[in-house]
């Protein structure tokens, strides 16, 4: 390992600016001559928009211009990036999604007008003076009610509120039915995967800027993928070709999926900036974020597991309703389908699986990917139904899992994916060790002595990261490629700049990516700088989500660096008057095997740019290479998690007493960052399990639209976690052997918490088998009264 | 508009402020000191935390006019005089106590307020003290660890 | 926020005159509830009269039988004074450290949020709320959700708490806001037992007469076995009325045990 290369827990260089208040987040930017926008948003969930009276607002102090849906009549709608084909071979129903509502408002928060004014407060003052004539219509909130005959339609031009009815794998359906008929035991579980609000600490911000001298538009935005925004907004909404549109996502304060999507406010600011020829800025308040940022999860599922007389899993079937909200957010249709159905095998060799998903429109905020996106939903169902089966059969839940583990790789699942590597026995063994499962009964007794019920929950998870390859996902309905790119520029004096299409919003690319190059060349990581987040100076890339940055973006960088090294070896061979094939690179020095000839990295890079003694007839001067990497397969991180809780039987309050995670992420580049990613994921998973859940009333009003009522995990809700990633089965198909670690914690932890609470209550004498998340004190207490 | 004067990180400042201007807006917009962030509108998240006359407060839950004449300290004032990271900042870097960095200014100010009155806080005291500071990235593990380390405690065992 | 002016008088009399002069003026204490309310545009005062510069509203004093807390005293300062340990513990559990450095006892009592902690202490200790115009017994002061005996131009100046023989406050947090989902303040002074409940009732803070009676006969947690408060309990996403009623009993027992 080079000093500070692959495997080193390098401290993060980006921390310096964040710790000293010198970060550059979008809201920290102000453009000369900037005006501010405030949106007038619907306060009802569903209504006919008969008219918008802007006359009073127009006269308010500081108002520059008022916009309504009519201003966007000639502008495209917000596009959806994934088209699902249903079980009958029909494409999904895809409604229009105008930038500002036209004709109808469809959720609380749907914007129908916008005021651009000299100050933010003046814009808000005037937005409040806009009067909308809205005929309120009955709202559809509950998914099953939305599909009932005669239900009010969210979109009048669609045949119903059903977006699609997806069956997977449709050809297996008959065989699955047959297997259930022949099962020795069937476990059935109804569960809800609660609706979450991502709530990155930085609310969304957009600044549109227009240069009338060049006709160039620029959007500064809080995005996880600026190139995707440029493509979607430029090509589908505003009709601006890429070379006239620049999208910049500077420091971004967390995303967790919610900043993947193209939002109407981005298109509005870009459009309005040109319309008034001034920069236009929008800063979301937290209250606005709750009713405009795409929500996550919101699945209602019945899952059934069939077992034979020896407790081998023989078949699995699920029936899920997935909430799409009022419009299709960018990747919404893919989440309950390809990111969910393909993971239903989990870590187990269940031979037959059938997944049915009905995606439903409701008068709620759109729902899309949130940390894990489909994979937490799959894992939660599967791991909960296995634990319930263990209860029903009276067998040890860990033993039941071990018995059914996949142990041979590669393994082709019955849900269309092939796991390249994994070792589920090893991670479970590691978990038993680090969580001291052998000592649990002693701890349970100690809890009991102080009047508390202690419970243990254990489960496994598998996820699929780095979704790819592009030609496959294209067949599955993706309207984008899923490669990643990197340009590696070597400067004359030997330093490198990597321009990546990935985007860091907390993941630490600026620290971890240089470690890879440092390892490859044998130089100090400080010689490598990472540039990301600006379409003007990075190659077309797909951004950061789905734990893909290192596996896909890092591999692109690896490939580009390989090209650099290959060319540098040619130059070095020339300088050393040796055969190219004899040149070796180690510790930042080129040498010729079996001789004392050597030339330093910096001398070669200098020669590339001062090509006096240089093979100009064979190669061009300069040292800069680009690679686009399109993975051959997903990567499949996996692991085993254990949670210990205490339940206060008097109040139902659950406290997390211990949480352990044994993960297999393949090779590790920066273990400190990996630990941090797992901690954060677990924190969000515990949040989902115990605290969080967006609640709508029957009229479509969000009842917990602020931190006063939406319970975010705080420091004293969470424990120290025990994490381990020493089990490593490297990915076989990317050059780094890495798998991705960003979502694992959020995927693996919710079932562990729920399993633990169910265990605790049963140890207290209850015969309960399930409680829906979030396991708030009131819910747990109510369950205990049954 | 009234002119509001105060001392920020040891420097006298003055800027016009409407009555409704929050201290956070005054710092960010009037002074251009964007180290202090804003993350909510109900006073829960704490990313806007600063010290006013030595006390931890949420700058988005206080009017600029209320800080007239006060000594205000923000994250920009937490480094050593030579510009190197202060002890708390250094502990956050050493222990990976931040990811996206957005909550970090508030966390640093909260940690500093705690260590002023409690030089060796327990894990439980640290966690309780952070009840007004939300972080969505770290699961708090490394923040708690960093604050305990900044107080000179050995956190290797407690947090591993 | 709508536009308004902030005025910061240094004398109480001037503050009262300002309230009389500007019909839609509002008092600004620590602002920890008022400012978020203004941000939501749920209030539209033309003038905010800040009490921060009135020095005589700040500070804590005590004599042999009472503790008097200036209305402008922040929660952190009350938490640091342990003359009545139940009161300091209550103040130390409000909100979070930053909120406790700004929020004031006067502001909390004037607002009378049904989930706030201080109303339970005032009622549970039988405090006297002293205003710019008069003294009001806590039993007469709280008049339902966000309703008090204060008139529009009356300012709380201090709160006088009798020092009890024993007292404790136990709160069960609403998980998001950390306000009281249920909080119970129990005190005993001679034969007088008071039990005040916050967070639970549709009518705001209240004295739980049944519990007081039972505890007067036997000041022990088990005296409350089987008792639940009557009246309409709040039901919301954080807990049903039944759950809140149950928690009142649990918290009351814990408070008695902690006395």
């Amino acid at each position: 390992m080079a000093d500070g290369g692959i495997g080193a827990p390098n401290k993060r260089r980006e921390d310096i600016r964040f710790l000293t208040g010198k970060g550059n987040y979008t809201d920290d930017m102000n453009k000369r001559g900037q005006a501010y926008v405030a949106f007038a948003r619907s306060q009802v969930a569903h209504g006919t928009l008969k008219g918008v009276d802007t006359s009073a607002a127009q006269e308010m102090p500081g108002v520059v211009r008022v916009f309504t849906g009519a201003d966007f009549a000639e502008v495209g709608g917000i596009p959806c990036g994934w088209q699902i084909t249903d079980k009958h071979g029909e494409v999904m129903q895809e409604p229009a999604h105008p930038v500002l509502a036209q004709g109808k408002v469809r959720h609380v928060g749907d914007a129908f007008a916008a005021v651009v004014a000299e100050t933010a407060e003046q814009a808000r003052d005037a937005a409040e003076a806009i009067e909308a004539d809205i005929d309120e219509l009955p709202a559809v909130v509950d998914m099953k009610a939305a599909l009932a005959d005669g239900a009010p339609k969210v979109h009048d031009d669609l045949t119903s509120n059903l977006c699609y009815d997806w069956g997977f794998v449709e050809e297996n359906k008959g065989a699955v039915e047959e297997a259930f008929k022949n099962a020795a035991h069937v476990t059935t579980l109804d569960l809800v995967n609660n609706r979450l609000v991502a709530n990155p600490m930085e609310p969304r911000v957009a600044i549109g800027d227009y240069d009338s001298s060049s006709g160039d538009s620029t959007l500064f935005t809080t995005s996880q993928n600026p190139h995707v925004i440029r493509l979607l907004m430029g090509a589908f909404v505003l009709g601006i070709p890429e070379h006239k549109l620049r999208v910049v996502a500077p420091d971004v304060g967390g995303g967790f999926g919610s900043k993947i999507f193209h939002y109407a406010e981005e298109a509005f600011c870009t459009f309005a900036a040109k319309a008034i020829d001034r920069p236009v800025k929008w800063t979301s308040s937290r209250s606005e974020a709750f009713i405009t940022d795409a929500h996550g999860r919101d699945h209602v599922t019945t899952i059934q597991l069939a077992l034979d007389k020896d407790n081998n899993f023989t078949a699995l079937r699920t029936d899920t309703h997935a909430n799409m909200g009022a419009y299709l957010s960018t990747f919404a249709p893919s989440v309950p389908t390809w990111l969910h159905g393909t993971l239903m095998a989990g870590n187990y060799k269940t031979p037959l699986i059938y997944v049915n998903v009905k995606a439903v429109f409701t008068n709620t905020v759109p729902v899309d990917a949130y940390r894990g996106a489909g994979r937490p939903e799959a894992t939660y169902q599967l791991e909960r139904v296995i634990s319930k089966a263990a209860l029903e059969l009276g067998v040890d839940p860990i033993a039941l899992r071990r018995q059914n583990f996949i142990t041979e790789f590669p393994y082709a699942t019955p849900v269309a994916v092939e796991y390249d590597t994994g070792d589920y026995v090893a991670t479970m063994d590691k978990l038993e060790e680090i969580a001291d499962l052998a000592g649990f009964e002693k701890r349970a007794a100690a809890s009991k002595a102080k009047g508390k019920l202690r419970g243990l929950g254990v489960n496994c998870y598998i996820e699929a990261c780095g979704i790819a390859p592009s030609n496959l996902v294209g067949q599955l309905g993706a309207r984008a490629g899923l490669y990643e790119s990197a340009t590696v520029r070597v400067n004359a004096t030997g330093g490198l700049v990597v321009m990546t299409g990935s985007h860091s919003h907390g993941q630490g690319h600026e620290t971890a990516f240089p470690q890879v190059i440092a390892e490859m060349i044998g130089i100090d990581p400080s010689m490598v700088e990472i540039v990301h987040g600006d379409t003007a100076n990075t190659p077309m890339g797909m951004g950061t989500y789905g734990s893909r940055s290192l596996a896909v973006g890092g591999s692109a960088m690896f490939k580009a660096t390989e090209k650099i090294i290959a060319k540098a070896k040619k130059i070095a061979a020339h300088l050393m008057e040796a055969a190219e094939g004899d040149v070796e690179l180690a510790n930042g020095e080129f040498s010729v095997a079996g001789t004392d000839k050597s030339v330093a990295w910096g001398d070669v890079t200098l020669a590339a740019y001062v090509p006096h003694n240089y093979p100009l007839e064979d190669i061009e001067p300069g040292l800069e290479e680009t690679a686009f990497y399109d993975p051959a397969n997903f990567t499949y991180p996996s692991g085993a998690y254990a949670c210990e809780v205490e339940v206060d039987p008097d109040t139902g309050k659950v406290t997390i007493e211990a949480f352990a995670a044994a993960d297999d992420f393949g090779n590790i580049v920066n273990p400190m960052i990996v630990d941090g990613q797992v901690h954060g994921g677990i924190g969000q998973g515990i949040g989902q399990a115990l605290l969080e859940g967006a609640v709508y009333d029957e009229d479509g009003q969000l009842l917990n639209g602020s931190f006063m009522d939406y319970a975010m995990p705080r420091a004293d809700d969470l424990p120290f976690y025990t994490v381990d990633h020493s089990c490593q089965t490297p990915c076989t198909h990317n050059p780094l052997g890495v798998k991705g670690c960003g979502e694992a914690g959020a995927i693996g932890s919710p079932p562990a918490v729920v399993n633990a609470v169910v265990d605790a209550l049963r140890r207290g004498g209850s015969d309960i088998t399930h409680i829906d998340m979030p396991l708030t004190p009131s819910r747990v207490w109510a369950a205990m009264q049954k | 508009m009234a002119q509001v004067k105060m001392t920020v990180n040891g420097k006298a400042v003055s800027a016009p402020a409407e009555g409704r201007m929050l201290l956070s807006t005054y710092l960010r917009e009037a002074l251009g000191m964007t180290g202090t962030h804003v993350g909510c509108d109900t006073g829960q998240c704490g990313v806007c935390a600063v010290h006013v006359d030595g006390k931890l407060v949420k700058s988005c839950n206080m009017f600029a006019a209320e800080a007239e004449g006060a000594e205000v300290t923000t994250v920009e004032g937490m480094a050593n005089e030579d510009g190197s990271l202060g002890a708390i900042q250094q502990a956050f870097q050493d222990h990976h106590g931040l990811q996206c960095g957005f909550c970090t200014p508030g966390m640093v100010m909260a940690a500093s307020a705690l260590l002023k009155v409690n030089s060796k806080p327990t894990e439980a005291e640290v966690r309780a003290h952070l009840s007004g500071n939300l972080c969505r990235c770290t699961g708090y593990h490394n923040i708690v660890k960093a604050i305990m380390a900044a107080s000179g405690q050995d956190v290797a065992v407690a947090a591993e | 926020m709508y536009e308004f002016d902030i005025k910061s008088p240094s004398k109480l009399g001037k503050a009262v005159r300002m309230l009389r002069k500007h019909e839609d003026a509002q008092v600004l204490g620590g602002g920890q509830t008022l400012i978020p309310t203004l941000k939501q545009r749920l209030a539209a005062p033309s003038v905010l009269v800040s009490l921060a510069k009135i020095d005589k509203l700040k500070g804590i004093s005590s004599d042999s039988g009472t503790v008097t807390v200036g209305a402008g005293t922040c929660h952190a300062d009350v938490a640091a004074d342990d003359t009545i340990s139940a009161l300091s513990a209550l103040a130390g559990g409000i909100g979070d450290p930053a909120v406790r450095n700004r929020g004031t006892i006067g502001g909390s009592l004037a607002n009378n949020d049904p989930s706030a902690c201080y109303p339970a202490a005032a009622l549970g200790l039988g405090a006297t709320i002293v205003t710019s115009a008069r003294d009001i017994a806590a039993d007469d002061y709280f008049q339902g959700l966000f309703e008090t005996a204060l008139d529009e131009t009356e300012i709380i100046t201090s709160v006088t708490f009798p020092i009890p023989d024993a007292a404790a406050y136990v709160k069960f947090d609403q998980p998001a806001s950390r306000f009281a989902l249920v909080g119970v303040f129990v005190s005993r002074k001679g034969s007088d037992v008071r039990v005040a409940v916050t967070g639970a009732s549709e009518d705001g803070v209240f004295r739980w007469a049944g519990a007081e009676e039972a505890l007067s006969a036997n000041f022990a947690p088990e005296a409350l076995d089987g008792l639940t408060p009557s009246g309409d309990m709040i039901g919301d996403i954080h807990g049903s009325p039944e759950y809140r009623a149950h928690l009142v009993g649990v918290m009351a027992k814990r408070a008695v045990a902690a006395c």
Side-chain angles (χ1 to χ4, degrees):
Chain A
M1 170 172 107
D3 278 353
I6 289 176
N10 291 356
K11 293 177 198 173
R12 297 201 327 168
R13 54 177 75 172
E14 45 272 78
D15 290 357
I16 306 293
R17 66 178 187 272
F18 296 143
L19 281 162
T20 53
K22 293 184 178 128
N24 183 34
Y25 300 89
T26 309
D27 194 43
D28 298 342
M29 298 181 177
N30 291 299
K31 301 294 162 191
R32 186 182 292 273
Q34 167 180 293
Y36 297 79
V37 60
F39 291 92
R41 299 188 181 279
S42 177
Q43 297 181 17
V44 302
H46 195 194
T48 304
L49 184 60
K50 292 162 69 185
V52 180
D53 181 358
T54 63
S55 54
Q58 305 268 15
E59 303 305 316
M60 301 272 288
V63 171
V64 177
R65 191 158 156 191
V66 182
F67 294 81
T68 66
D71 292 291
F72 289 84
E74 303 302 315
V75 172
I78 303 299
C80 178
W82 202 300
Q83 184 180 57
I84 294 299
T85 302
D86 76 5
K87 65 185 184 188
H88 308 295
E90 305 284 326
V91 297
M92 68 185 189
Q93 297 207 78
E94 191 169 357
H97 184 180
V99 174
L100 292 176
Q102 297 167 10
K104 259 177 116 174
V105 288
R106 295 184 175 86
H107 66 86
V108 172
D110 206 1
F112 55 80
V115 178
V116 177
E118 298 295 338
T119 73
E121 288 287 13
Q122 285 173 334
R124 280 181 216 123
D125 290 343
E128 206 175 69
I130 292 175
E131 292 196 14
D133 183 3
I134 296 176
D135 265 0
E136 194 170 350
L137 297 166
V140 284
V141 177
D142 178 79
M143 286 189 275
K144 287 174 185 169
L147 296 183
D149 286 342
K153 285 199 287 184
V154 179
H155 296 277
D156 299 338
D157 53 334
L158 304 186
T159 59
S160 70
N161 292 318
L162 182 68
C163 177
Y164 55 74
D165 183 356
W166 186 73
F168 182 68
V169 174
E170 198 61 27
E171 295 72 36
N172 289 351
K173 194 176 176 184
V176 169
E177 302 289 327
E178 197 58 31
F180 269 90
K181 278 185 202 145
N182 298 328
H185 184 83
V186 173
T187 295
T188 302
L189 180 59
D190 294 318
L191 43 75
V192 173
N193 203 293
N194 41 327
R195 185 182 185 110
L196 302 178
V197 183
N199 278 322
M201 294 318 301
E202 179 201 31
R204 288 189 296 120
V205 182
I207 306 172
D209 197 0
Y210 179 70
D211 181 343
S212 57
S213 66
S214 65
D216 291 349
S217 292
T218 304
L219 170 68
F220 301 88
T221 184
T222 49
S223 176
Q224 301 177 215
N225 35 215
H227 281 283
V228 173
I229 302 305
R230 184 177 68 163
L231 181 62
L232 292 177
M233 184 176 79
F236 297 99
V237 189
L238 300 179
I240 308 173
E242 284 102 314
H243 64 286
K244 303 301 282 180
L245 176 60
R246 174 183 170 207
V247 177
V248 184
D251 286 331
V252 173
F256 315 110
S258 70
K259 292 174 181 169
I260 297 171
F261 323 122
H262 177 39
Y263 287 98
E265 293 87 359
E266 295 172 320
F268 178 88
C269 289
T270 310
F271 177 88
K274 184 175 181 183
I276 67 166
D277 197 10
R278 286 175 64 175
V280 174
K281 180 175 186 175
W282 172 70
T283 302
S284 175
S285 68
R286 181 62 58 184
S287 299
E288 206 172 6
F290 268 98
I291 53 169
T292 63
D293 289 8
H295 292 180
R297 315 279 194 263
D298 204 352
H299 287 193
V300 176
T301 296
T302 299
I303 181 167
Q304 292 187 296
L305 177 66
L307 303 94
D308 67 15
K309 63 178 176 28
D310 300 319
N311 297 341
N312 298 308
F313 304 161
T314 56
L316 186 75
R317 66 183 169 202
T318 74
D319 184 10
T320 287
H321 286 73
N323 205 335
M324 294 287 104
Y327 301 100
L328 289 178
S329 175
T330 309
F331 291 115
S334 67
V335 175
T337 50
W338 299 109
L339 297 179
H340 163 250
T342 51
L343 270 295
M344 283 311 310
N347 310 55
Y348 311 101
K349 50 192 178 195
T350 314
L352 289 162
I353 296 174
Y354 180 72
V355 178
N356 182 225
V357 179
K358 295 179 182 70
V360 185
F361 294 112
T362 60
N363 292 112
T364 63
V365 171
V367 180
D368 204 330
Y370 168 66
R371 199 171 195 165
R375 292 150 291 176
E377 294 90 324
T379 301
Y380 182 65
Q381 295 164 42
L382 180 62
E383 294 295 330
R384 283 290 302 126
V385 80
I386 293 171
S387 287
K388 190 180 179 206
L391 287 177
E392 291 175 352
L393 295 165
V395 299
D396 176 59
I398 298 176
L400 182 62
R401 285 176 167 84
R402 284 181 177 275
Q403 174 185 343
N404 285 281
F405 275 159
I406 296 161
T407 52
E408 289 174 18
F409 298 87
Y411 176 81
T413 72
V415 276
V417 294
E418 183 175 286
Y419 302 160
D420 58 343
T421 55
D423 188 342
Y424 310 144
V425 174
T427 46
M428 184 59 87
D429 288 347
K430 177 56 74 176
L431 180 76
E432 294 204 19
E433 173 199 328
I434 64 172
D436 182 25
L437 296 191
F440 173 75
E441 290 302 338
K442 207 173 157 188
R443 296 189 292 275
S447 296
K448 196 171 179 183
K450 55 176 182 161
K452 299 286 172 64
L453 306 171
R454 198 177 189 101
L456 172 66
V458 173
N459 62 271
C460 303
Y461 78 90
I462 184 153
E463 71 168 310
C465 303
I467 177 171
S470 293
N471 53 3
L472 172 69
V473 298
Q475 288 169 28
L476 304 184
R479 289 163 167 165
L482 284 163
Y483 51 82
E484 196 45 84
S485 63
T487 295
V488 177
R489 175 179 298 159
V490 187
N491 293 322
T493 53
L496 296 93
V497 180
V498 179
M499 288 146 278
T500 172
S502 293
H503 182 272
S504 178
H505 34 281
Q507 295 87 348
H509 292 27
E510 292 166 43
T511 299
F513 275 32
Q515 294 182 234
V516 174
I517 292 186
E519 184 77 26
M520 293 174 77
I521 301 177
I523 54 175
D524 193 272
S526 65
M527 288 178 68
V528 185
E529 200 69 28
I530 303 298
V531 173
H532 63 89
D534 185 344
T535 60
N537 58 19
T538 57
M540 173 75 179
M542 303 312 293
T544 286
Y545 42 81
S547 307
R548 71 192 298 274
S549 285
L550 193 61
V552 191
S555 294
M557 177 180 68
F558 181 96
K559 295 269 185 191
T561 307
E562 277 189 327
K563 294 186 195 177
I564 292 282
I565 291 172
K567 184 172 177 185
K569 280 185 175 175
K570 285 191 166 84
I571 303 168
H574 178 88
L575 294 175
M576 295 187 286
E577 298 178 337
E580 187 191 328
D582 294 337
V583 174
E584 293 171 352
L585 171 62
N587 301 317
E589 192 172 71
F590 296 91
S591 58
V592 180
T595 74
D596 60 356
K597 287 182 182 174
S598 69
V599 57
W601 169 255
D603 291 330
V604 171
T605 61
L606 187 64
Y609 289 95
V610 187
H612 297 164
N613 176 15
Y614 195 87
L616 285 167
E617 60 285 1
D618 295 330
I619 52 175
E620 296 169 5
L623 206 47
E624 176 166 329
E625 299 288 351
T626 294
F628 284 75
Y629 175 72
D630 204 292
N633 190 358
F634 300 149
T635 66
Y636 299 96
S638 62
Y641 284 18
C643 177
E644 283 184 34
V645 299
E646 273 187 358
V647 179
D648 178 344
D650 294 334
T651 64
K653 186 174 170 65
V654 177
T655 51
I656 308 285
E657 297 299 314
F659 201 103
D663 294 293
D664 174 3
F665 298 132
N667 292 338
I668 302 287
V669 170
N670 184 318
M672 177 194 80
I673 289 176
V674 169
D675 285 351
Q677 289 292 311
V678 176
H679 296 158
I682 295 171
Q684 290 185 350
I686 292 173
Q688 167 165 31
L690 293 185
L691 295 163
E692 300 179 44
V695 182
Y696 280 93
D697 72 8
E698 59 189 17
D699 296 324
Q701 294 290 335
L702 181 60
L703 296 180
N704 50 355
S706 82
F707 291 154
M708 289 291 282
D709 285 300
Y710 185 93
M712 294 276 282
R714 288 176 161 92
D716 56 2
D717 292 316
L718 299 172
F720 279 135
Y721 320 100
T722 305
V723 301
D724 181 281
H725 36 72
S726 62
C727 298
Q728 297 177 359
T729 61
C731 171
T732 57
H733 55 79
N734 69 45
L736 296 170
V738 299
K739 294 184 170 182
C741 64
E743 297 160 294
I747 294 169
S749 55
V753 177
V754 178
N755 288 345
V757 173
V758 169
D759 183 52
L761 297 190
R762 292 179 69 90
R763 284 165 179 270
S766 167
D767 61 356
I768 196 157
T769 56
H770 180 68
I771 312 175
D772 274 324
M773 301 185 291
L775 305 183
T776 59
S778 66
R779 274 198 187 171
V780 173
W781 180 79
M784 286 162 56
Q785 307 313 305
K786 283 174 190 156
Chain B
M1 240 186 297
Q3 199 74 12
V4 173
K5 296 176 187 163
M6 63 187 81
T7 304
V8 179
N9 300 330
K11 207 174 120 192
V13 298
S14 176
E18 280 188 302
R20 60 181 169 175
M21 182 181 273
L22 298 165
L23 177 58
S24 52
T25 314
Y26 181 89
L27 293 168
R28 290 180 55 80
E29 306 294 338
L31 302 183
M33 297 178 66
T34 55
T36 299
H37 298 154
V38 176
C40 79
D41 43 14
T42 51
Q44 257 87 28
C45 82
V47 307
C48 65
V50 301
H51 295 185
V52 174
D53 291 331
K55 299 275 179 65
L56 182 71
V57 305
K58 293 177 177 172
S59 65
C60 86
N61 229 2
M62 178 174 182
F63 294 111
E66 294 181 281
E68 170 80 35
E71 298 267 352
V72 176
T73 309
T74 71
V75 73
E76 287 99 333
M78 296 300 286
N80 297 324
E81 276 181 24
D82 65 359
S84 62
L85 296 182
I88 292 169
Q89 293 168 317
Q90 188 61 57
F92 269 72
Q93 190 195 25
D94 290 347
H95 296 278
H96 191 27
L98 63 153
Q99 291 181 24
C100 82
F102 200 76
C103 77
T104 307
M107 289 291 177
V108 169
M109 300 316 291
S112 157
L114 173 64
L115 298 186
K116 269 196 239 175
V117 296
N118 185 349
S119 61
K120 291 271 187 287
T122 64
E123 179 199 341
E125 286 170 341
V126 172
R127 290 185 185 276
H129 183 80
L130 296 180
S131 60
N133 291 80
L134 296 177
C135 168
R136 195 59 154 166
C137 292
T138 63
Y140 302 98
H141 182 109
N142 284 339
I143 292 176
V144 176
K145 203 170 147 186
I147 295 172
M148 294 182 76
S151 71
Q153 302 186 71
D154 181 2
V155 292
V157 180
E160 292 304 337
Chain C
M1 278 182 276
Y2 298 106
E3 269 193 273
F4 50 78
D5 285 335
I6 296 185
K7 298 193 184 298
S8 303
S10 56
K11 295 275 188 280
L12 181 66
K14 195 159 181 196
V16 172
R17 283 196 295 282
M18 284 173 174
L19 290 179
R20 288 189 182 136
K21 184 173 160 196
H22 303 280
E23 199 181 331
D24 53 358
Q26 239 175 308
V27 174
L28 173 64
Q32 300 304 284
T33 298
L34 179 58
I35 294 174
T37 306
L38 292 169
K39 286 185 198 172
Q40 300 297 323
R41 295 180 174 245
L42 297 174
S46 62
V47 173
L48 287 185
V49 180
S50 166
L51 305 182
K53 296 261 158 44
I54 306 176
D55 289 338
K56 74 174 231 189
L57 297 184
K58 287 180 190 155
I60 303 168
S61 61
S62 53
D63 59 28
S64 59
T66 62
V67 173
T68 296
V69 181
T73 310
C74 70
H75 309 329
D77 289 346
V78 178
D81 180 292
D82 60 0
T83 318
I84 302 175
S85 59
L87 182 64
S88 56
L90 174 146
I94 296 173
D96 59 58
V99 166
R100 293 196 285 274
N101 284 331
R102 293 290 302 163
T104 65
I105 186 170
S108 174
L109 292 176
N111 190 46
N112 191 21
D113 187 301
S115 302
C117 295
Y118 265 130
L123 200 57
L125 286 167
T128 301
I129 288 95
V130 181
T131 78
S132 51
R134 56 189 165 143
D135 291 358
I136 310 172
D139 287 335
D140 302 326
Y141 176 83
F142 299 104
Q143 302 190 346
L145 302 186
F146 300 101
E147 294 290 333
T148 69
L150 294 176
D151 74 39
E152 283 177 2
T153 61
E154 191 171 7
I155 295 171
I156 300 175
T157 57
S158 66
V159 186
T160 300
F161 296 95
I163 298 174
D165 297 339
Y169 176 68
V170 180
K171 156 174 143 178
F172 193 83
D173 286 347
Q174 193 259 59
S177 69
R178 300 283 178 100
F179 273 69
L181 190 68
V182 166
V184 179
F185 199 106
V186 173
S187 76
R188 181 171 55 78
K189 187 175 174 71
S191 59
D192 186 21
V193 174
R194 297 175 77 98
V195 178
V197 179
T198 189
S201 169
E202 292 278 12
D203 297 321
V205 67
F206 69 98
R207 283 178 68 182
W208 182 12
E212 290 181 355
E213 200 177 313
L215 292 170
S216 297
N218 173 22
F219 195 80
E222 54 273 21
L224 299 174
D225 282 347
L227 288 184
T228 44
S230 55
D232 291 335
M233 298 289 119
I234 297 170
D236 60 18
I237 61 169
H238 304 293
S240 63
E242 298 72 32
Y243 181 59
R244 278 189 168 81
H246 167 76
L247 280 184
V248 170
V250 175
M251 296 300 119
K253 284 184 189 179
R254 290 182 182 181
V256 172
C259 274

